[in-house]
Amino acid sequence: MCAALELADVLRRHGPTYWELHAHSVSHAQRRVMAAIEQCRTAAMGGHVEQCDACGHQRIAYNSCGNRHCPKCQSLVRAQWLDARQADLLPVPYFHVVFTVPEPVASIAFQNKRLVYDILFQATAETLQTIAADPRHLGATIGFIAILHTWGQNLVHHPHLHCVVPGGGLAPDCNRWVPCRPGFFLPVRVLSRLFRRLFLERLQHAFDAGELRFFSSLMHLSEPTEFSRYLRDLKHIEWVVYAKEPLGGPQQVLDYLGRYTHRVAISNNRLCSLTDGHVTFRWKDYRHPGRPRLLRLDAHEFIRRFLLHVLPRGLQRIRHYGLLSNRLRESRLSTCRQLLGVAPAEVTSCTPKPDYRDRYAQLTGRSLHECPACKHGHMLCIEVLLPGASPRAPPTSRV
């Protein structure tokens, strides 16, 4: 069993030294992420003191940093996002399709994150929509959600997209729902070949426009002949695209989405120990499924790998396409439901209530109002803490 260790503990203990040794290579965005995680739910963020109206138990509730890379700040955001997706689900099977770029492309992506990640989204979306619209395959307009992950289980840089797709789409005249074959969505080999071509075409166009930057071991790719040779080799290797088994009904789809959206490179529950300057964490080796593995890394190497996955500011890592795009969603999903013979979805309001704790309880089923000591009292705010301030009286617990 792993100990109660948090990513913030690693950054507080070894982050300052890492920053001093690698200041030249740590970006401003990475430094901001490190600082946010270190301060999350501490006195530096401010908060308030609560007291039970029955037994007098007190606790501090410090504010969260809200950073999307922080493993402690995603539960409520994820719950709100999934709640909003309830109205988008259709009573059809759903498929999970994954698009992965080979390691040579991942190297370029690491030095050109915003540009190449956008190309990954664009090539994936065009691939799925083109093959689905082909009458030889589905012959329909589809919709899907694409979610960017940039990590492997051992925290190496491994950019890929998880796409969750309804098993069917609208016919070209929008007068018929076209279902896919039972248990089969689209041929992955056909998807892979088109994905490879579209991605490399966009990458070449970005190079011709002078938008790509190369450093260190990739500096030689600045030369057009070298870049052309690099891309030529990529045209002759297989690009991994695979589709998983159908996900089941709407609730199973939501549960499944919850495991992929708003994830960070490593969650706190995977961390096991921080001893002798090394971090040990659990990981899955997909070459040997079912075998639990532990990986022990030098703390600085662990921090370096975590920082590989800090996204450029403003980059959207969850995007909607086709029938689920923001512009078409409401009207096209209404048409789909009519053709499928189902009642219109009940739209739940996502407007936060005045007290965030009410929203948290509604979405997660866990109450922040209930006293953790006596279980029947109500926790009331008795003192507001400004950032950096300490409570006048020491509380008995913290959250």
Side-chain angles (χ1 to χ4, degrees):
M1 179 67 67
C2 292
L5 176 67
E6 294 186 353
L7 176 61
D9 299 324
V10 179
L11 295 180
R12 292 187 194 111
R13 190 176 304 181
H14 295 281
T17 306
Y18 182 90
W19 166 247
E20 290 176 7
L21 294 175
H22 304 280
H24 64 286
S25 60
V26 178
S27 69
H28 178 65
Q30 292 172 329
R31 187 68 188 100
R32 288 184 60 192
V33 169
M34 292 175 68
I37 295 174
E38 290 171 21
Q39 296 175 359
C40 185
R41 300 186 190 177
T42 68
M45 300 296 297
H48 58 274
V49 180
E50 298 176 332
Q51 179 172 294
C52 176
D53 59 3
C55 69
H57 176 81
Q58 290 187 0
R59 70 181 179 192
I60 297 179
Y62 286 128
N63 295 331
S64 299
C65 68
N67 192 285
R68 62 174 169 173
H69 300 89
C70 176
K72 290 192 291 190
C73 287
Q74 300 305 305
S75 60
L76 181 57
V77 176
R78 179 172 56 246
Q80 289 176 321
W81 187 87
L82 292 174
D83 184 57
R85 300 285 76 75
Q86 286 270 9
D88 298 344
L89 295 175
L90 297 171
V92 299
Y94 278 71
F95 291 83
H96 179 190
V97 187
V98 183
F99 290 78
T100 303
V101 297
E103 193 280 330
V105 173
S107 298
I108 297 176
F110 180 68
Q111 297 187 2
N112 301 270
K113 287 184 177 180
R114 185 182 300 277
L115 176 63
V116 180
Y117 292 164
D118 279 339
I119 290 176
L120 175 56
F121 275 107
Q122 293 162 9
T124 296
E126 185 174 349
T127 296
L128 281 172
Q129 291 174 312
T130 299
I131 301 302
D134 190 331
R136 293 173 297 177
H137 300 293
L138 187 62
T141 299
I142 62 171
F144 56 95
I145 300 172
I147 306 159
L148 173 66
H149 284 187
T150 63
W151 57 86
Q153 278 279 307
N154 55 1
L155 292 186
V156 297
H157 187 236
H158 177 60
H160 54 285
L161 281 189
H162 295 272
C163 300
V164 178
V165 196
L170 281 179
D173 58 6
C174 295
N175 288 326
R176 181 169 55 92
W177 174 263
V178 181
C180 64
R181 286 188 283 167
F184 179 83
F185 182 53
L186 295 172
V188 292
R189 183 175 292 273
V190 175
L191 292 172
S192 175
R193 299 292 167 81
L194 180 58
F195 172 60
R196 179 179 63 187
R197 178 171 67 81
L198 293 174
F199 192 105
L200 293 179
E201 285 176 355
R202 282 176 166 79
L203 202 61
Q204 180 67 61
H205 183 269
F207 179 86
D208 294 339
E211 297 173 338
L212 290 173
R213 298 290 181 267
F214 301 104
F215 309 95
S216 186
S217 62
L218 297 183
M219 185 72 75
H220 65 286
L221 297 183
S222 300
E223 296 295 327
T225 54
E226 290 293 329
F227 187 77
S228 296
R229 183 181 299 114
Y230 198 80
L231 259 57
R232 187 168 59 248
D233 293 339
L234 289 169
K235 294 177 182 177
H236 300 293
I237 63 176
E238 292 294 332
W239 288 38
V240 177
V241 175
Y242 66 93
K244 296 189 176 182
E245 293 293 322
L247 303 179
Q251 188 55 51
Q252 287 76 18
V253 174
L254 276 182
D255 294 342
Y256 198 81
L257 276 172
R259 299 204 295 267
Y260 285 92
T261 61
H262 305 88
R263 282 180 72 173
V264 298
I266 188 165
S267 59
N268 286 330
N269 60 18
R270 287 177 57 198
L271 300 176
C272 293
S273 66
L274 176 59
T275 56
D276 301 324
H278 287 77
V279 180
T280 302
F281 61 92
R282 292 183 288 106
W283 69 292
K284 295 178 182 177
D285 185 353
Y286 290 110
R287 292 172 298 182
H288 303 92
R291 181 187 302 177
R293 301 290 295 272
L294 293 178
L295 182 60
R296 188 171 187 261
L297 295 176
D298 175 83
H300 285 190
E301 171 62 13
F302 174 84
I303 294 173
R304 185 194 72 82
R305 292 195 189 187
F306 173 76
L307 293 179
L308 294 177
H309 311 293
V310 172
L311 297 176
R313 191 172 185 178
L315 180 81
Q316 290 182 302
R317 59 179 298 267
I318 304 176
R319 305 186 189 186
H320 302 75
Y321 294 95
L323 302 178
L324 298 180
S325 63
N326 292 331
R327 184 171 59 88
L328 300 174
R329 181 187 296 133
E330 187 174 346
S331 61
R332 291 297 174 85
L333 287 181
S334 176
T335 300
C336 291
R337 290 192 183 91
Q338 291 177 7
L339 296 174
L340 290 167
V342 296
E346 294 185 8
V347 179
T348 58
S349 174
C350 292
T351 303
K353 296 182 180 180
D355 192 329
Y356 77 96
R357 295 172 296 180
D358 294 329
R359 185 67 173 154
Y360 185 87
Q362 175 191 352
L363 293 172
T364 67
R366 299 190 297 272
S367 174
L368 296 178
H369 290 292
E370 181 183 274
C371 175
C374 68
K375 303 300 183 183
H376 62 267
H378 198 77
M379 301 300 293
L380 303 176
C381 177
I382 62 171
E383 181 182 354
V384 175
L385 302 176
L386 296 177
S390 300
R392 289 190 295 270
T396 51
S397 69
R398 294 180 180 180
V399 293

